[in-house]
Amino acid sequence: MRTLYQFHGGVHPPTNKTQSTRTPIAPAPLPGKLVIPFHQHVGNMARPLVKAGNRVLKGQLIGMPEDGVSSAVHASTSGTISAIGMAVVAHASGLPDLCATLIPDGQEEWVTHEGMAYRTAAGADVRLALRLAGVVGLGGAVFPSDLKLRSGKHKIKSLVLNGAECEPYITCDDMLMRERAAEIIRGAEIMRFMLDAEEVLIGIEDNKPEAIAAMQLAAAASDDKMEVIVVPTIYPSGGAKQLMRILTGIEIAAGVRSTEKGMQCFNVATALSIYRALQFGEPLLSRIVTVTGNVRNAQNFEVLIGAPVNELVALADPLPDTNLYIMGGPMMGVPLPSAQVSVVKATNCIIAASDKLFPPPPPALPCIRCTRCAEACPADLQPQELFWFAQSKNFGKAQEYSLFDCIECGACSYVCPSHIPLVQYYRFAKSEIRALEHEQAAADLARERYEFRQSRIERDKQEKAEKLAQKEMTALAARQSAATPEAAADNSAQLRIQAAVEHAREQAAAARPKNIDTLTPRQQAEIAEIEARRAKAREMAHPDAGQPKE
Amino acid sequence: MLTALIVMSGIALVLGAVLGFSAIKFKVEGNPLVDKIDAILPQIQCGQCGYPGCRPYAEAIAAGEADINRCPPGGEEGIRKLADLLGVEFKPFGGGTVQKPKAVAFIDENLCIGCTLCTQACPVDAIAGAAKQMHTIIAPVCTGCELCVAPCPVNCISMVVIEEKITTWKWKYPVYALAPVRRSAFGRAPE
């Protein structure tokens, strides 16, 4: 029997999971339109490879991962791309992002694909295959999985498979483990091989007995050292750091990566998509989504990425008083800006909300410093202090109190007797700090460039001055040398030019106008007048030049 | 009486020598206050303060020649930080300064005649181009100072306001009222 450990704090919200586990996972019918965002993962947006009007096949790469942290995007089914443009996406901001609109043709015609021999291929090739298959963490963080599968400088002892699924209402991982345990285990074997880990620890909360049984059965059939570990139900045991703490007793300090402690953690659904990607060459085109809350038939669906949320929710028969859809669970989820947004790789659950199901929070009262939040915090923080600093926009102090270790689990808001929306304050402070850091970096760059430019201008000025001084020096030297007879020869060119100028002047003086031989007295008078005016003008222009030449 | 005087002046001499020595030995190069002020200024280099760049403005503030409320890009936050640093009272914007949203310059490449006047005006070398060649803005390093707009003889440079994108979006400060609210920022758990 393995010794289990505890993390600090945690809460026990009503789980509300049974509603959606009564029926098996159903495939969602092909929607009339798919809107596939190019930025569904952490990191850089994928670069579009298709244009409006292109016909695409199921599984065809339509978004190429761009530099460093990024992942690929694929056509979820065969059909025609009708537009590439901005559309509102499943994001708390409600802002539009670049999406491809795909009109399915209903033929589900696959692009040619095949698996790869991942055990003999080079590690870099396998990771590139995962990157191009668009495999990202499906637990909600959507971090590109290939980057987590690098066997770096730290030896990985335990590969942790996260099947805790602690958040209320959500059952997608539960149903996946019940129905596709064997494939998850195969994925875990691949990951263990890639990381060269000694053991695989699969953590599942004890409120999922069917999933535990299925996973135990599948794990027993594996040749690898795998262990299904039943952990007590407490929110948020599904946080990566919290689960690793429960399973191994190792606490991961702020700023330390779990790999430094010999652990790497993946969601169970990610394991399955890694298996599908490497064994069959199938990119990540669909995921399991729990549709629950204010609906008649809560259920899990296998949904194509890009399917509109309203069509998906309609399958579960929402009640008429539904007024909001939440993506994710009630603790950490975000409200969707509209029901027309599409399902993305991060969409694990859609909760139909109504005022009856989730009554509006009572007005917030002042903090009474009861520190119940500190008792509940699974990251061992001081939420009441963080709240104080975030509220007063004292961001430096908030960072001193490790604001960025907050996992935004909502346990503090849940227990707060004053109903203060604490997580909102932390999110606000975090994004302000990130923006300030970004601005600071931009200012530093501008300062550097400005100072470089100033020094360059200064340098150019100096060089010019030096050149000028040099020229004057040589001219001075030439003038001095002109006085000596040796230099007289050098001045012959100067003399010739002077001679030519003299000659031209003489010629001009000798030339006379040709039409002045027969002049009427009136014309003569006119000419004389003009000449007089000219002479006067010359005198006015050069009063000290003395008499004109003529 | 005399002994006390001698002892006291002896101590004074010794301490004076120590102070004098350390003033030479530990002399700080440059003016650290200018650096501190310069670190707060946003480095847009726009010259809206009336000085030819952020550093000259910082020097003027340090010398007591300029007010702290002349920097529109720094915002009120910037004034507050300067006031904190210098130990003076916060003052609102003055001297006809106006605050604008953050923008980057944009060159209409069909109109550009390649005169290089804008590249000479740019304080951060954010314009690429040579004589009689089309110019373009290197947007990631453009500070939005607008100094390139005026010199352009064909008016081909415009300022484009940077719109909020998903990647730059910020969570808003929580606002809640006593009346039932539209839950646009749902972050609370059900009771």
Side-chain angles (χ1 to χ4, degrees):
Chain A
M1 187 65 198
R2 178 177 279 271
T3 320
L4 290 181
Y5 300 83
Q6 275 186 332
F7 60 87
H8 177 266
V11 290
H12 291 278
T15 58
N16 281 307
K17 287 181 186 262
T18 47
Q19 298 96 312
S20 52
T21 54
R22 286 175 296 215
T23 44
I25 299 170
L30 200 60
K33 184 180 87 171
L34 292 163
V35 180
I36 305 166
F38 285 101
H39 196 182
Q40 300 184 34
H41 44 265
V42 171
N44 302 320
M45 183 164 80
R47 175 168 47 88
L49 293 178
V50 288
K51 289 194 181 72
N54 285 165
R55 178 160 198 276
V56 290
L57 299 177
K58 187 181 175 106
Q60 187 178 329
L61 187 70
I62 60 168
M64 185 61 111
E66 287 263 274
D67 340 293
V69 183
S70 185
S71 195
V73 175
H74 300 80
S76 310
T77 183
S78 63
T80 315
I81 301 285
S82 69
I84 304 274
M86 303 300 267
V88 175
V89 295
H91 189 268
S93 65
L95 289 171
D97 207 4
L98 193 66
C99 299
T101 309
L102 172 61
I103 308 294
D105 59 11
Q107 290 171 17
E108 295 273 19
E109 190 184 337
W110 265 95
V111 74
T112 47
H113 59 284
E114 56 177 352
M116 72 186 296
Y118 53 83
R119 276 180 191 269
T120 50
D125 291 342
V126 180
R127 288 196 299 275
L128 182 66
L130 287 177
R131 182 177 165 92
L132 292 177
V135 177
V136 294
L138 295 177
V142 283
F143 188 82
S145 300
D146 54 305
L147 298 172
K148 284 172 78 178
L149 284 166
R150 266 188 305 212
S151 48
K153 49 183 182 287
H154 303 287
K155 167 92 184 93
I156 301 290
K157 181 173 172 281
S158 320
L159 167 67
V160 175
L161 223 52
N162 188 345
E165 199 168 56
C166 57
E167 176 126 11
Y169 285 95
I170 309 177
T171 57
C172 59
D173 290 346
D174 183 6
M175 295 307 291
L176 195 77
M177 287 189 286
R178 288 189 200 186
E179 296 185 17
R180 299 178 197 174
E183 286 178 281
I184 294 170
I185 296 297
R186 294 297 307 280
E189 284 170 2
I190 295 170
M191 291 191 286
R192 193 212 59 77
F193 172 75
M194 288 179 75
L195 289 169
D196 196 22
E198 286 168 25
E199 53 175 3
V200 182
L201 308 177
I202 306 166
I204 308 174
E205 274 193 350
D206 58 11
N207 60 1
K208 306 176 188 60
E210 296 92 339
I212 292 165
M215 289 295 279
Q216 268 169 343
L217 204 65
S222 170
D223 296 332
D224 285 350
K225 191 181 165 207
M226 287 205 194
E227 195 181 339
V228 175
I229 301 160
V230 182
V231 301
T233 298
I234 181 167
Y235 180 85
S237 65
K241 281 187 178 180
Q242 283 70 27
L243 185 64
M244 287 190 261
R245 163 84 185 158
I246 294 173
L247 296 180
T248 64
I250 297 170
E251 203 157 329
I252 297 152
V256 178
R257 288 171 196 275
S258 64
T259 49
E260 290 171 40
K261 299 280 179 190
M263 289 181 290
Q264 187 66 292
C265 182
F266 288 91
N267 177 265
V268 285
T270 316
L272 184 129
S273 55
I274 286 172
Y275 166 69
R276 302 288 313 176
L278 294 179
Q279 189 71 29
F280 306 107
E282 284 176 18
L284 182 58
L285 303 183
S286 65
R287 66 155 301 144
I288 314 296
V289 182
T290 309
V291 183
T292 183
N294 197 33
V295 295
R296 285 197 186 85
N297 308 310
Q299 198 182 352
N300 280 279
F301 295 96
E302 177 152 17
V303 190
L304 292 178
I305 305 298
V309 163
N310 51 4
E311 284 189 39
L312 171 65
V313 176
L315 301 174
D317 202 0
L319 294 167
D321 62 338
T322 300
N323 56 7
L324 181 77
Y325 293 112
I326 298 163
M327 182 172 104
M331 302 291 278
M332 293 184 70
V334 288
L336 288 177
S338 101
Q340 270 81 46
V341 299
S342 51
V343 168
V344 289
K345 290 174 184 175
T347 313
N348 48 6
C349 179
I350 301 285
I351 302 179
S354 68
D355 285 343
K356 216 173 94 199
L357 190 64
F358 299 130
L365 299 168
C367 171
I368 55 169
R369 300 185 82 74
C370 65
T371 66
R372 274 167 75 176
C373 48
E375 282 161 26
C377 181
D380 251 331
L381 300 174
Q382 299 278 306
Q384 78 284 5
E385 299 289 330
L386 289 174
F387 160 64
W388 204 251
F389 299 134
Q391 191 189 30
S392 57
K393 301 182 187 170
N394 192 348
F395 301 131
K397 212 70 177 133
Q399 265 177 299
E400 263 174 48
Y401 277 70
S402 308
L403 173 67
F404 280 91
D405 284 349
C406 167
I407 58 170
E408 301 176 20
C409 68
C412 49
S413 318
Y414 182 76
V415 297
C416 181
S418 290
H419 312 291
I420 300 169
L422 292 163
V423 177
Q424 280 185 51
Y425 278 102
Y426 307 149
R427 282 175 173 164
F428 157 74
K430 279 182 182 180
S431 61
E432 283 297 325
I433 290 169
R434 282 196 199 101
L436 284 175
E437 278 172 357
H438 186 260
E439 262 171 41
Q440 193 55 49
D444 289 344
L445 179 72
R447 183 185 298 117
E448 197 180 299
R449 292 180 72 88
Y450 172 72
E451 279 169 7
F452 175 75
R453 184 172 186 275
Q454 293 302 103
S455 72
R456 194 192 64 214
I457 289 171
E458 202 54 42
R459 191 191 63 204
D460 285 356
K461 242 188 215 164
Q462 231 163 34
E463 275 174 11
K464 232 182 210 168
E466 270 168 28
K467 254 187 206 163
L468 209 68
Q470 193 95 41
K471 241 188 196 164
E472 267 171 18
M473 288 282 277
T474 45
L476 196 71
R479 242 178 288 147
Q480 278 170 352
S481 60
T484 60
E486 298 91 56
D490 294 342
N491 284 353
S492 62
Q494 204 88 46
L495 290 175
R496 258 184 298 157
I497 293 169
Q498 215 146 32
V501 169
E502 282 301 313
H503 180 65
R505 207 168 277 162
E506 276 164 30
Q507 267 190 333
R512 282 180 58 78
K514 280 174 184 162
N515 56 350
I516 55 165
D517 296 333
T518 50
L519 288 177
T520 59
R522 198 177 144 204
Q523 279 170 330
Q524 289 232 306
E526 256 175 49
I527 288 172
E529 197 188 333
I530 291 167
E531 287 297 334
R533 258 212 312 266
R534 265 189 197 154
K536 200 174 170 193
R538 240 181 251 137
E539 207 172 319
M540 277 172 75
H542 308 281
D544 51 343
Q547 292 295 314
K549 267 191 215 146
E550 276 115 358
Chain B
M1 176 64 196
L2 195 66
T3 332
L5 269 178
I6 291 168
V7 166
M8 290 309 280
S9 41
I11 290 172
L13 276 175
V14 169
L15 288 178
V18 167
L19 278 173
F21 173 74
S22 50
I24 295 160
K25 173 84 181 165
F26 303 110
K27 190 172 174 4
V28 179
E29 289 298 326
N31 189 350
L33 183 62
V34 173
D35 283 337
K36 276 186 197 161
I37 297 170
D38 197 38
I40 292 172
L41 297 177
Q43 305 301 321
I44 306 288
Q45 317 292 357
C46 61
Q48 286 182 67
C49 50
Y51 294 87
C54 295
R55 190 149 190 108
Y57 180 45
E59 281 160 7
I61 294 178
E65 292 161 10
D67 244 338
I68 57 169
N69 60 352
R70 303 276 160 177
C71 179
E76 293 205 336
E77 194 57 37
I79 299 177
R80 211 159 270 140
K81 278 188 196 162
L82 285 173
D84 272 357
L85 175 70
L86 301 169
V88 295
E89 281 292 305
F90 168 84
K91 33 174 106 164
F93 276 113
T97 47
V98 271
Q99 261 194 296
K100 286 181 192 167
K102 237 179 131 31
V104 287
F106 173 75
I107 292 181
D108 186 341
E109 295 172 351
N110 293 320
L111 295 180
C112 175
I113 54 168
C115 68
T116 74
L117 287 177
C118 57
T119 55
Q120 292 163 35
C122 180
V124 291
D125 288 335
I127 304 177
K132 295 191 180 169
Q133 306 289 321
M134 184 189 76
H135 295 359
T136 197
I137 303 279
I138 307 164
V141 293
C142 174
T143 62
C145 67
E146 304 190 8
L147 291 184
C148 55
V149 176
C152 181
V154 290
N155 276 338
C156 73
I157 305 180
S158 52
M159 299 305 294
V160 181
V161 173
I162 302 173
E163 271 173 40
E164 194 174 44
K165 285 186 298 192
I166 282 196
T167 44
T168 56
W169 176 78
K170 293 191 281 187
W171 285 90
K172 302 290 171 284
Y173 191 83
V175 188
Y176 40 86
L178 289 170
V181 286
R182 221 184 97 244
R183 278 169 302 148
S184 57
F186 188 90
R188 275 189 50 78
E191 299 301 312

